[in-house]
Amino acid sequence: MSHPDFRLNLRPLGTPRGVSSVVGPHGVGASPGDKKSKNKSIRGKKKSVFETYMSKEDVSEGLKRGTLIQGVLRINPKKFHEAFIPSPDGDRDIFIDGVVARNRALNGDLVVVKLLPEEQWKVIKPESNDKETEGAYELDLPEELCGSHLPQQSVKGYNDSPDVIIEAQFEDSDSEDGHGNTQNVLVDGVKKLSVCVHDKGKEDADAPVTKDESTSTSQDPRALLEKSLQRSAKVVYILEKKHSRAATGFLKLLADKNSELFRKYALFSPSDHRVPRIYVPLKDCPQDFVTRPQDYANTLFICRIVDWKEDSNFALGQLAKSLGQAGEIEPETEGILTEYGVDFSDFSSEVLDCLPQGLPWTIPPEELSKRRDLRKDCIFTIDPSTARDLDDALSCKPLADGNFEVGVHIADVSYFVPEGSPLDKVAAERATSVYLVQKVVPMLPRLLCEELCSLHPMTDKLTFSVIWTLTPEGKILGEWFGRTIIRSCTKLSYEHAQSMIESPKEKIPEKELPPISPEHTSEEVHRAVLNLHGIAKELRKQRFVDGALRLDQLKLAFTLDHETGLPQGCHIYEYRDSNKLVEEFMLLANMAVAHKTHRTFPERALLRRHPPPQTKMLNDLVEFCEQLGLPMDFSSAGALNKSLTTTFGDDKYSLARKEVLTNMCSRPMQMALYFCSGVLQDQTQFRHYALNVPLYTHFTSPIRRFTDVLVHRLLAAALGCGELPDLEPEALQKQADHCNDRRMASKRVQELSTGLFFAVLVKESGPLESEAMVFGVLNQAFDVLVLRYGVQKRIYCNALPLRSYHFQKVGKKPELTLVWEPEDMDQEPVQQVVTIFSLVEVVLQAETTALKYSAVLKRPGTEGLLSRQDGEQPAAGVSGGLQA
């Protein structure tokens, strides 16, 4: 789960809203709270703050010669003066220190950097607790790694039922990238920096504070090990401005009322501190803003950066619009969509003109003759109960010899989206539907998504099918691809399918099932579901024997109030056998289509690869597990999966430990990427690490992913029933890159939407209590995974009523001893030891700032969740054990 407040409010703790980076003696990079940095003398001078960018020619020459390096810039959302680009050799990230070195590039931009001389590289003391050298990783696990066919559909008609559960809108019906859980704020998180500043609250006189060990230059340079230096660089060119240049935030008057600027500009202060503060012309601002700025203190605005000159710490921008009050769901949602460049405008009349006009639409007779007619077969859909865009249907026919004919039938979207049409162009540009908690921003007009293409029951639908002859063990004996017509007999929800799996012998009462078409019976559907489940179990078992990896993470689903739209409650979404059934057949279809299209068009196939984990971060994790004495094998995806499934028991404590470790294993994982086979020369790079297969693609969700539409066109061409798409390998790669970018953005937006709703829930229904497990210990704070909600928070010692606290390393393990201030004067203070895998109780509570919430530790000994009745209490020190 993403850290819910990480984007809505990135202020360092204790910094008032709107205080952003101030000009410091070394340029712009000083932090918001830094008192020493208000250096007035620099502010007045018109000298350059930033270096001029290199010329295009010099950049391409430098990249060829290897004197310059390119990469995607990541800015640490918690410490926005720190930025990183990945090292081309998979080693430790390259560090970019401060706003000046970043040279006006924004998060996500493709930049070119030049390494600084070695004496300016970041020094990391080997024995320090510092592994915060990889920059804030926003987690990008491919959905094959995680639970998917998770509910993703938005609820349109949720007014007609009292309070519906909206199942978390988690993308992906083929669990290939179903990890949408940004551990953004955890930074590299495997081991943590010994940050010794008090981030929060008052200074605590009793607290032993050690010197900040994160960087040090006082050592004898010759004694420095090579690995304790982190290569540092500066940005010399922006190859591609991938950041939208839009931000949400607040308007303020400039501080100096007598300056020339005061009469022309207001200051826009972005909520995301990775974006600079922006001068906006007063003429863009509300008319009474100058006379009544306090009226707008809580109004959220959107601003777009227009320019950022070399001689200015601040960018120049235009106010795009006022969104409404900060902290309210709709304004915040619109802000998130805009910041990530999601097009949520209505489709133009030019696009809508491409759709069939005479409704109701029926399949033309000439189309019927071109397709295999499966309308009499028992075919059905299994989706979240609220789904409206039904991409995929399944069938399973027993054969006389004991085998099965199993079909995956996918909506034939490419039939309705002619290549090169305005509809095709807008779908290519949007590239994906974006699932928010409360709604969906569709890739295609609703008439297609929810009506013409959606595989509703008891209506004739155009589909693209993969049909296999399978043994009961899932061995493929035969395979057929082709365009088909189906007539789904019923729309099952995951709950319906699950109840069928759980009652193999009993007939399910009709009233508990959705309507089934008269040509088929509920027994026939039930039998098909059971047969599919039997085969899926075998397929799944074989995949893991063959070395696949799965990292299931906690995902939140919300119950919304149908009148206000506010969250009433939330629960962890349960990924069950019915989800797994659908996932197995989607994976099988995607692999089959990948092989078919690549065999036919070795230069033109659109595939999906998943690179192995980042070496440096993986090595850190290996070291971390060794220190904790955990027998984890990271040598391959399959070995890691085996370690995660066999190392832990199934008691509550073991499951929590597994959850934490799964989170940690997720961090070195890379994104899965679409690519064109003709552009990547080395075929070993085609592999999919998590699935451990040589070829993979996306074919099963064309209603909501443009890549799948392209793959459908390629498959049709391979079968001789369609034109080969008019795209050379380079053009196809460009489209693949765009789909990768939009997919990333949609994932972020989804996480932020979940975070927004969770923050509102804490505000409306909090404080919320939960058990949590510690996974990182610093000098004056520790990081926890909140088990009931799947969120991660940092708990600061000086925000707790402690008499003192003490950090030490026991062997290699970091440990914090907290001495609690007694509630009664005559009581002895209670000591609590916090170390990795301690089980503690936390309280999540709203802060005064809109949509920000913090976690505090519950005082030990107070009545709560840890008064255990469920078996053995782990040893003191392991579970936050208490010592009088």
Side-chain angles (χ1 to χ4, degrees):
M1 192 25 249
S2 67
H3 204 289
D5 52 350
F6 87 86
R7 176 144 201 92
L8 302 166
N9 223 315
L10 283 171
R11 228 147 273 94
L13 290 147
T15 309
R17 177 176 279 295
V19 175
S20 181
S21 61
V22 280
V23 187
H26 309 296
V28 209
S31 68
D34 186 353
K35 300 283 188 294
K36 296 193 286 284
S37 58
K38 295 192 172 68
N39 181 331
K40 298 285 195 301
S41 64
I42 292 182
R43 209 170 270 179
K45 291 182 190 167
K46 261 297 187 197
K47 66 178 183 122
S48 274
V49 176
F50 300 106
E51 279 187 22
T52 309
Y53 294 129
M54 286 172 84
S55 71
K56 226 175 181 160
E57 296 71 37
D58 291 351
V59 165
S60 76
E61 187 56 32
L63 287 171
K64 267 194 213 114
R65 284 211 313 269
T67 52
L68 300 176
I69 298 168
Q70 75 175 54
V72 174
L73 184 77
R74 292 193 326 278
I75 303 172
N76 184 343
K78 281 288 193 183
K79 297 185 183 165
F80 58 86
H81 58 282
E82 295 184 349
F84 303 83
I85 68 161
S87 170
D89 56 12
D91 197 27
R92 179 179 275 155
D93 285 339
I94 295 165
F95 181 56
I96 296 158
D97 190 9
V99 182
V100 174
R102 210 150 69 214
N103 203 356
R104 297 162 285 165
L106 298 185
N107 192 57
D109 285 354
L110 183 59
V111 297
V112 177
V113 303
K114 183 179 183 183
L115 289 180
L116 297 171
E118 204 165 312
E119 60 271 17
Q120 292 175 37
W121 289 3
K122 183 179 181 185
V123 181
I124 302 146
K125 262 172 76 173
E127 72 276 12
S128 85
N129 202 15
D130 174 9
K131 281 287 186 286
E132 202 156 315
T133 53
E134 314 307 331
Y137 256 88
E138 296 182 298
L139 198 67
D140 299 306
L141 293 165
E143 70 252 14
E144 299 90 8
L145 257 175
C146 355
S148 208
H149 222 128
L150 282 189
Q152 70 263 49
Q153 279 69 13
S154 150
V155 185
K156 200 148 156 226
Y158 68 73
N159 317 1
D160 41 353
S161 62
D163 291 306
V164 292
I165 288 180
I166 296 190
E167 301 159 304
Q169 320 305 333
F170 277 105
E171 253 219 82
D172 268 6
S173 62
D174 58 336
S175 166
E176 182 257 345
D177 263 14
H179 234 100
N181 299 342
T182 316
Q183 268 75 28
N184 188 351
V185 291
L186 290 176
V187 193
D188 161 30
V190 176
K191 297 188 215 147
K192 287 295 193 190
L193 179 59
S194 307
V195 184
C196 295
V197 291
H198 278 276
D199 287 85
K200 175 159 184 171
K202 60 185 188 304
E203 289 292 333
D204 183 336
D206 297 336
V209 174
T210 51
K211 179 180 162 294
D212 184 339
E213 304 169 350
S214 66
T215 53
S216 152
T217 42
S218 57
Q219 286 171 288
D220 173 0
R222 284 165 308 189
L224 279 172
L225 298 167
E226 195 179 310
K227 73 168 188 176
S228 61
L229 278 181
Q230 181 171 20
R231 290 183 297 169
S232 303
K234 62 181 182 182
V235 173
V236 293
Y237 193 75
I238 301 176
L239 272 176
E240 205 179 332
K241 289 181 175 174
K242 292 205 172 183
H243 188 285
S244 66
R245 282 359 191 217
T248 54
F250 298 86
L251 272 185
K252 314 201 171 311
L253 289 172
L254 292 178
D256 184 357
K257 288 196 158 89
N258 303 316
S259 72
E260 188 64 28
L261 285 170
F262 185 85
R263 288 194 286 279
K264 287 188 187 163
Y265 294 101
L267 189 63
F268 176 82
S269 180
S271 305
D272 179 355
H273 280 294
R274 296 176 291 185
V275 180
R277 288 191 289 174
I278 303 166
Y279 288 131
V280 292
L282 282 174
K283 61 178 172 36
D284 287 359
C285 299
Q287 284 185 320
D288 57 350
F289 170 67
V290 175
T291 50
R292 306 186 57 83
Q294 69 281 4
D295 291 3
Y296 296 93
N298 197 41
T299 304
L300 210 51
F301 289 92
I302 286 182
C303 181
R304 290 186 185 280
I305 293 177
V306 178
D307 194 10
W308 192 353
K309 302 227 181 295
E310 286 168 25
D311 60 7
S312 174
N313 294 308
F314 299 157
L316 281 170
Q318 272 180 336
L319 220 49
K321 68 185 286 195
S322 158
L323 292 171
Q325 291 301 291
E328 289 180 5
I329 284 170
E330 286 313 313
E332 294 279 2
T333 297
E334 190 174 330
I336 291 168
L337 291 169
T338 307
E339 283 189 30
Y340 280 87
V342 174
D343 177 2
F344 55 94
S345 61
D346 291 336
F347 289 96
S348 68
S349 54
E350 188 191 16
V351 167
L352 297 175
D353 287 347
C354 301
L355 303 175
Q357 299 303 308
L359 297 174
W361 180 81
T362 51
I363 297 169
E366 67 273 16
E367 194 56 40
L368 286 172
S369 61
K370 293 179 193 165
R371 294 173 178 256
R372 180 166 165 182
D373 190 345
L374 304 174
R375 286 176 292 180
K376 290 192 165 61
D377 290 15
C378 174
I379 296 176
F380 48 87
T381 57
I382 305 176
D383 286 280
S385 53
T386 53
R388 305 171 84 85
D389 48 355
L390 315 180
D391 281 294
D392 51 276
L394 292 164
S395 61
C396 183
K397 198 189 292 178
L399 301 173
D401 59 5
N403 295 318
F404 296 95
E405 184 182 276
V406 173
V408 166
H409 314 278
I410 305 298
D412 190 356
V413 175
S414 60
Y415 174 85
F416 294 96
V417 183
E419 194 178 346
S421 66
L423 176 58
D424 184 42
K425 288 184 175 130
V426 78
E429 189 49 46
R430 291 191 178 202
T432 179
S433 293
V434 179
Y435 293 92
L436 303 163
V437 171
Q438 78 279 34
K439 60 185 173 191
V440 63
V441 180
M443 175 179 87
L444 294 165
R446 290 194 190 277
L447 175 66
L448 284 187
C449 287
E450 295 178 6
E451 292 178 47
L452 300 183
C453 295
S454 189
L455 305 180
H456 295 303
M458 294 171 253
T459 50
D460 292 358
K461 294 290 176 182
L462 299 179
T463 43
F464 220 139
S465 301
V466 187
I467 298 172
W468 300 273
T469 305
L470 294 176
T471 67
E473 296 73 43
K475 186 167 183 285
I476 299 173
L477 303 176
E479 165 175 88
W480 179 89
F481 301 91
R483 285 196 145 130
T484 49
I485 298 179
I486 68 163
R487 188 179 178 88
S488 165
C489 67
T490 187
K491 177 192 171 188
L492 298 178
S493 68
Y494 282 118
E495 290 72 26
H496 294 135
Q498 188 63 29
S499 63
M500 290 178 170
I501 290 168
E502 288 171 8
S503 338
K505 301 279 188 285
E506 295 139 50
K507 183 179 189 313
I508 301 209
E510 301 290 325
K511 64 176 191 302
E512 289 174 25
L513 289 174
I516 293 173
S517 71
E519 296 84 7
H520 300 280
T521 63
S522 63
E523 288 85 353
E524 192 182 354
V525 174
H526 192 165
R527 211 166 35 248
V529 168
L530 289 174
N531 288 333
L532 286 169
H533 170 60
I535 299 167
K537 275 201 311 197
E538 294 295 330
L539 286 169
R540 191 177 186 79
K541 190 169 82 187
Q542 194 55 48
R543 278 200 310 112
F544 289 112
V545 167
D546 292 342
L549 165 67
R550 187 176 187 83
L551 296 172
D552 280 314
Q553 288 196 289
L554 302 172
K555 295 182 174 73
L556 270 185
F558 293 89
T559 319
L560 301 187
D561 180 294
H562 72 275
E563 281 173 11
T564 63
L566 290 172
Q568 289 177 317
C570 68
H571 58 278
I572 296 288
Y573 182 76
E574 203 184 341
Y575 187 73
R576 300 193 293 181
D577 284 343
S578 53
N579 302 82
K580 292 173 185 174
L581 180 161
V582 175
E583 178 193 335
E584 285 311 314
F585 291 106
M586 297 306 119
L587 289 172
L588 201 62
N590 285 332
M591 289 188 271
V593 171
H595 282 276
K596 177 72 181 168
T597 52
H598 184 251
R599 254 197 322 271
T600 317
F601 304 119
E603 298 294 306
R604 297 253 186 124
L606 179 60
L607 300 172
R608 186 164 173 78
R609 65 193 179 92
H610 183 214
Q614 291 181 312
T615 332
K616 176 71 189 67
M617 291 178 79
L618 194 65
N619 293 343
D620 285 347
L621 186 57
V622 169
E623 198 183 318
F624 174 82
C625 289
E626 281 169 1
Q627 285 174 12
L628 293 173
L630 287 169
M632 299 290 291
D633 181 352
F634 291 95
S635 58
S636 68
L640 175 53
N641 194 76
K642 198 170 171 196
S643 297
L644 283 169
T645 45
T646 56
T647 304
F648 301 97
D650 54 8
D651 59 289
K652 189 163 83 172
Y653 179 70
S654 299
L655 290 172
R657 248 185 12 160
K658 182 180 178 182
E659 208 59 64
V660 163
L661 214 62
T662 300
N663 263 293
M664 289 183 169
C665 293
S666 305
R667 269 176 237 134
M669 297 300 159
Q670 304 214 55
M671 259 179 82
L673 298 164
Y674 298 116
F675 71 102
C676 170
S677 57
V679 171
L680 202 57
Q681 297 313 307
D682 178 5
Q683 217 166 315
T684 58
Q685 292 187 347
F686 288 20
R687 286 195 71 79
H688 196 292
Y689 171 81
L691 292 173
N692 197 26
V693 294
L695 294 176
Y696 190 68
T697 193
H698 271 168
F699 161 78
T700 52
S701 293
I703 292 178
R704 60 189 178 81
R705 288 191 304 233
F706 190 68
T707 42
D708 302 49
V709 176
L710 291 171
V711 168
H712 277 225
R713 288 175 184 161
L714 282 163
L715 181 61
L719 299 169
C721 59
E723 293 291 309
L724 182 60
D726 184 21
L727 284 174
E728 289 303 313
E730 282 70 24
L732 190 55
Q733 182 59 46
K734 202 168 178 217
Q735 182 64 55
D737 290 339
H738 177 67
C739 289
N740 290 329
D741 291 344
R742 293 323 304 157
R743 188 175 178 80
M744 268 290 289
S746 87
K747 216 164 184 181
R748 293 279 165 266
V749 165
Q750 195 173 305
E751 289 156 2
L752 291 167
S753 175
T754 304
L756 166 63
F757 273 79
F758 188 67
V760 170
L761 184 70
V762 175
K763 189 174 105 188
E764 298 290 323
S765 312
L768 307 178
E769 289 188 14
S770 171
E771 281 182 276
M773 186 165 264
V774 176
F775 64 86
V777 178
L778 292 76
N779 298 30
Q780 308 178 47
F782 51 96
D783 291 322
V784 296
L785 176 66
V786 182
L787 297 166
R788 185 175 286 173
Y789 304 110
V791 300
Q792 302 179 355
K793 292 300 279 183
R794 180 165 287 181
I795 295 177
Y796 295 90
C797 294
N798 53 3
L800 303 172
L802 301 177
R803 183 167 283 187
S804 64
Y805 53 90
H806 173 66
F807 175 83
Q808 63 180 17
K809 285 230 175 142
V810 179
K812 287 185 172 179
K813 288 184 197 174
E815 188 177 278
L816 262 175
T817 304
L818 312 180
V819 182
W820 288 79
E821 200 59 76
E823 286 182 289
D824 295 331
M825 295 312 289
D826 52 354
Q827 286 180 329
E828 282 295 301
V830 175
Q831 270 197 27
Q832 183 176 14
V833 178
V834 174
T835 182
I836 307 279
F837 298 139
S838 291
L839 209 50
V840 295
E841 284 189 65
V842 297
V843 179
L844 301 177
Q845 53 197 27
E847 293 187 4
T848 47
T849 320
L851 297 187
K852 194 164 172 63
Y853 66 92
S854 58
V856 294
L857 200 56
K858 211 167 162 190
R859 181 187 286 275
T862 47
E863 196 51 44
L865 302 158
L866 288 182
S867 359
R868 290 175 165 248
Q869 264 83 55
D870 58 350
E872 197 180 341
Q873 170 76 40
V878 176
S879 72
L882 309 181
Q883 300 156 355

